[in-house]
Amino acid sequence: MNPRNYWIGVVSKDHVDTGVSGGFTQVNHGKAGPLERMRAGDGFVFYSPRTKYPDGDPLQAFTAIGRIRNGMVYQATAGESFRPFRLDVDYFPAQPAPVKPLIAELSFIRNKTHWGAAFRFGVVRVPEADFALIAAAMGRSLGDDFGSRQESSDPST
């Protein structure tokens, strides 16, 4: 079995709410490329720099967490001319977690002074330890929600 990956999607909170209520993720203004790297069982968390896109109040928090359902990217209709790509996600109940108290411990944030740069590309693959830290701050347990990193097909192990 392939190892599980962990992802952060950078999306305003109002768009996160739409995705959570619909059971999907959509990132980078509906582009397919970032979603095509995600697989069933991968961990996914939203980071919301603002409450609304593009000019909402600053939020700077992790706002939703879940697991990629089946890894099948599909195109949706979200208006007359907007056909974004999406990926289904099973979201867990969780509390928002401000990023600032976590910055010192998150390894994917290399520059602790200019920490926002780590989120500039809209989708970030992060180490399991960082994802576990974020999950715990949101009131979730990596072990409970995702099980072991690689399940064995041999029942004796």
Side-chain angles (χ1 to χ4, degrees):
M1 180 175 198
N2 291 331
R4 181 175 289 120
N5 290 307
Y6 300 93
W7 305 92
I8 297 173
V10 182
V11 179
S12 63
K13 178 67 166 90
D14 61 331
H15 290 177
V16 169
D17 293 342
T18 300
V20 170
S21 68
F24 65 86
T25 185
Q26 174 181 309
V27 296
N28 289 39
H29 305 287
K31 291 187 171 73
L35 300 177
E36 291 170 343
R37 299 182 345 213
M38 299 177 194
R39 302 286 177 251
D42 281 0
F44 184 84
V45 65
F46 274 124
Y47 169 74
S48 298
R50 298 188 169 276
T51 56
K52 294 183 182 197
Y53 178 82
D55 297 319
D57 294 330
L59 184 56
Q60 299 177 338
F62 297 100
T63 52
I65 188 168
R67 182 177 43 238
I68 302 298
R69 186 175 306 146
N70 59 22
M72 296 177 60
V73 177
Y74 60 92
Q75 197 166 21
T77 301
E80 285 185 33
S81 61
F82 186 44
R83 299 207 9 100
F85 289 91
R86 294 179 174 170
L87 191 61
D88 290 337
V89 177
D90 294 316
Y91 290 101
F92 306 124
Q95 62 194 22
V99 68
K100 287 185 179 178
L102 304 175
I103 291 171
E105 296 180 68
L106 292 171
S107 69
F108 78 93
I109 298 178
R110 292 192 177 105
N111 185 329
K112 307 302 184 182
T113 303
H114 301 288
W115 59 267
F119 298 103
R120 72 185 173 276
F121 296 114
V123 176
V124 183
R125 185 173 157 202
V126 298
E128 183 178 84
D130 285 353
F131 194 85
L133 181 68
I134 295 165
M138 297 180 78
R140 304 303 308 182
S141 164
L142 191 69
D144 291 344
D145 292 339
F146 295 92
S148 64
R149 188 159 190 216
Q150 290 185 354
E151 283 94 24
S152 171
S153 59
D154 180 358
S156 67
T157 58

